[in-house]
Amino acid sequence: MIRKKIIFTICFILFYISNLSAELNYKKVGQWDLKMGRANFAMTSGSWWVDVMQGGTLSLGQDKGEIHTCIEDGYTYNEPKNLIWVELECSITMPDKSKIYLEYSSKLTPDDTFWDKLTKDESASAPNNGLKYWFAEFKMKTTCEKFSWVNEHIFLGKSIELRSDSSGQGKGRAYYGLYIFEN
C-alpha cells in the first residue's frame, strides 16, 4: 500500500512538473493601430460610455488594411481600483478590397498616473507607464480566401501604446502587437 502511494506521488509530481515546463507556442502575426479622438465620445450613464472611432490600420503579415469604423462600448469600475473594460466592433478593408470584421475586448488596469496622462494626451503603456496591465482579445471574420485563416484563431493583443487626443489632430491611438497561439 505504501509502495503504491509513493509511486502515485512520484507520478503526480512528474506530471505536474512536465505541465509547468510546457512552452506556450505563440507567433506575432500583425499589429492593430486604431486612431482615437474625443469628437464622438459620449457618457451614456454613470460610468458607461460609447465612442465612434475612424481610421488606423490592421497589419497581417505584409498586408495592411484600413480601419473604417469602430464602435466602442466601455465601462470604468470604481472597484477594483478603476479597472477599465472596453468592447469594440470594427470594419476593415484589406488591400485586395476584401472586408474583415473584428471584435475586441480589452481590460486596462490604471496606475496612479494614468488619468493625468490621459487628460494631457501623453502616451501610456503597461507596465509602469500609466497602466499596470493592458491586454486584449481579438476575433476576426472574413469570407476572403486569402485571409480565411483569421477565422480560425483568437488573437491576443499585447499593448504597445495608448494615447488620447483632445486636440482632434488624430494623435490618439490604441496600439497593439497581435499574436496567435499554436498547438
Side-chain angles (χ1 to χ4, degrees):
M1 184 69 171
I2 293 177
R3 186 175 178 187
K4 285 183 182 181
K5 285 183 181 182
I6 291 172
I7 291 172
F8 175 78
T9 302
I10 290 171
C11 288
F12 179 78
I13 290 170
L14 290 174
F15 177 75
Y16 181 76
I17 290 172
S18 69
N19 281 335
L20 287 178
S21 65
E23 286 191 36
L24 219 46
N25 296 318
Y26 62 93
K27 176 170 92 173
K28 185 173 183 181
V29 295
Q31 294 180 325
W32 176 256
D33 194 358
L34 176 64
K35 288 186 179 181
M36 294 175 47
R38 295 186 187 163
N40 298 305
F41 180 87
M43 295 302 294
T44 55
S45 67
S47 296
W48 286 96
W49 73 85
V50 295
D51 202 352
V52 178
M53 293 172 257
Q54 298 172 317
T57 57
L58 167 65
S59 300
L60 296 171
Q62 299 301 314
D63 293 297
K64 188 178 276 190
E66 180 184 347
I67 301 168
H68 292 289
T69 303
C70 290
I71 308 296
E72 177 184 50
D73 185 20
Y75 185 78
T76 301
Y77 295 88
N78 291 330
E79 290 298 323
K81 303 228 178 194
N82 296 321
L83 174 72
I84 301 166
W85 162 82
V86 296
E87 286 196 353
L88 286 92
E89 293 183 7
C90 306
S91 171
I92 299 112
T93 300
M94 297 306 287
D96 63 357
K97 305 297 182 211
S98 63
K99 299 286 186 189
I100 292 181
Y101 294 96
L102 178 142
E103 300 173 0
Y104 88 82
S105 181
S106 180
K107 288 190 177 178
L108 304 87
T109 304
D111 69 16
D112 295 336
T113 65
F114 175 74
W115 297 105
D116 191 45
K117 285 179 171 291
L118 190 69
T119 58
K120 292 179 180 177
D121 298 339
E122 294 177 358
S123 179
S125 59
N128 305 321
N129 183 27
L131 293 163
K132 295 177 187 175
Y133 303 100
W134 177 30
F135 290 95
E137 165 210 29
F138 290 76
K139 297 176 193 170
M140 299 183 214
K141 300 178 241 182
T142 188
T143 57
C144 174
E145 188 173 325
K146 179 179 181 179
F147 298 107
S148 64
W149 64 274
V150 303
N151 297 329
E152 302 168 4
H153 295 281
I154 294 175
F155 297 77
L156 176 65
K158 184 179 184 295
S159 63
I160 298 172
E161 180 184 20
L162 178 67
R163 185 176 50 227
S164 184
D165 178 20
S166 59
S167 69
Q169 296 176 358
K171 295 180 181 178
R173 74 192 306 201
Y175 187 35
Y176 298 88
L178 296 178
Y179 296 83
I180 59 171
F181 294 95
E182 299 175 325
N183 290 329

